[in-house]
Amino acid sequence: MTTPIHWLLHTADPPTLEAWAWTNLAPAERAHLAALRFENRRDSFLLGRCAAKTLISRAIPALGALSPANIAIHNQPDGAPYVEIEGAGRLPGCLSLSHRDGRAACAWSADPALRHGIDLERIESRHPAFAGDYLTTAENAFAITLPESQRPLWITLAWSAREAALKALGTGLRLDTRRLAVSLPELAALEPAGVWQPLAIAVDAGAPAVLPGWWQRRGEFMLTLVTMGSTPDIALVEHMSPSG
Ligand SMILES: CC(C)(COP(=O)(O)OP(=O)(O)OC[C@H]1O[C@@H](n2cnc3c(N)ncnc32)[C@H](O)[C@@H]1OP(=O)(O)O)[C@@H](O)C(=O)NCCC(=O)NCCS
């Protein structure tokens, strides 16, 4: 049987988000927002909440008529997000979130055997020390074989897939990023945009594992999604963002 992972990419400007927040946040989310002092953190918090609430109401038809204020997005003590439905408690399943430069990506799966992580990064050149500090020797060696124009794409992909995997693992950056290694079956296919391409990420922590994942380029952005669990057959289902 195929397990869907629903996902959505959303963008909105800060004034639109502040107006949205008036009627669409749950009381606890409102309290969380009030405690955020930095404007860019407020914006990313709101963008993530708007994206995730929209995704839940579109991916789960039975919740489609609920007000977004009744679909609260909270964080566990380790930072991982989860969904709480007013009057019904925590929604079983896995939610993952990422925000970067005015865009948010989120993913949802109801399968209790599956965890996943989504990540969004801007494709850009990074300081030469970045790859040495965070990627493996093999990934750096691969970067050197690429034409210079493709290196930012590969380094962003290798970094983003790590962040997605660290969310799927639930550890975040507490785990040394060099204990993960990204590989692509089609090394030549670095360019196609707007289509999910497979990747694999080997994790050397406790019990070694290989996590399946996907990546795609969306304009200037890299989107990655990594899964962990016993579900073999996954369908990635995109939903329309509130911005269309
Ligand atoms: C998780 C982590 C890799 C995210 O990377 P990032 O590039 O900074 O940010 P992104 O926008 O891609 O992702 C942020 C989202 O990741 C999610 N997240 C945070 N910690 C997570 C974890 N341990 N597992 C899964 N998801 C997590 C949250 O939903 C967060 O958004 P939100 O705070 O608005 O709900 C990074 O923040 C990290 O490792 N943090 C360390 C753990 C930590 O400090 N947790 C906070 C304790 S309160």
Side-chain angles (χ1 to χ4, degrees):
M1 209 177 80
T2 303
T3 298
I5 298 181
H6 301 269
W7 68 279
L8 175 151
L9 191 57
H10 179 42
T11 180
D13 57 27
T16 305
L17 288 167
E18 291 286 347
W20 174 87
W22 278 103
T23 49
N24 294 293
L25 292 185
E29 292 172 316
R30 207 176 289 284
H32 189 109
L33 179 69
L36 297 176
R37 287 185 299 127
F38 296 104
E39 209 171 303
N40 61 352
R41 181 55 190 131
R42 283 177 68 87
D43 295 344
S44 64
F45 175 84
L46 286 177
L47 193 53
R49 266 62 202 164
C50 183
K53 286 166 187 253
T54 304
L55 180 63
I56 295 300
S57 65
R58 296 197 176 157
I60 308 173
L63 302 181
L66 273 188
S67 159
N70 296 129
I71 303 172
I73 312 298
H74 298 307
N75 298 87
Q76 298 179 171
D78 64 5
Y82 65 93
V83 185
E84 192 170 287
I85 304 299
E86 170 76 26
R90 184 168 174 160
L91 189 64
C94 179
L95 175 70
S96 182
L97 265 177
S98 183
H99 14 65
R100 183 70 65 227
D101 297 348
R103 286 166 178 73
C106 62
W108 163 260
S109 160
D111 185 341
L114 185 69
R115 281 187 61 88
H116 56 74
I118 196 163
D119 191 67
L120 183 68
E121 296 289 334
R122 183 180 283 281
I123 300 167
E124 58 194 357
S125 296
R126 290 158 200 263
H127 190 280
F130 178 90
D133 285 348
Y134 295 111
L135 307 189
T136 63
T137 309
E139 288 166 332
N140 279 305
F142 175 59
I144 289 165
T145 69
L146 293 171
E148 218 164 295
S149 61
Q150 284 195 338
R151 274 183 215 154
L153 185 94
W154 163 246
I155 290 170
T156 305
L157 197 173
W159 173 246
S160 179
R162 275 174 167 69
E163 290 224 312
L166 293 170
K167 290 175 191 170
L169 292 163
T171 64
L173 287 165
R174 293 177 198 95
L175 189 65
D176 183 342
T177 60
R178 283 167 298 187
R179 297 182 78 169
L180 294 94
V182 178
S183 58
L184 308 177
E186 289 290 335
L187 295 185
L190 272 175
E191 273 304 336
V195 181
W196 287 112
Q197 308 284 327
L199 63 83
I201 182 153
V203 184
D204 174 22
V210 177
L211 310 182
W214 298 266
W215 68 276
Q216 68 167 271
R217 180 183 186 152
R218 281 276 173 120
E220 295 163 21
F221 289 83
M222 171 64 63
L223 196 54
T224 54
L225 198 152
V226 170
T227 62
M228 196 179 87
S230 52
T231 308
D233 195 8
I234 289 167
L236 302 176
V237 182
E238 183 172 7
H239 290 262
M240 285 288 284
S241 105
S243 50

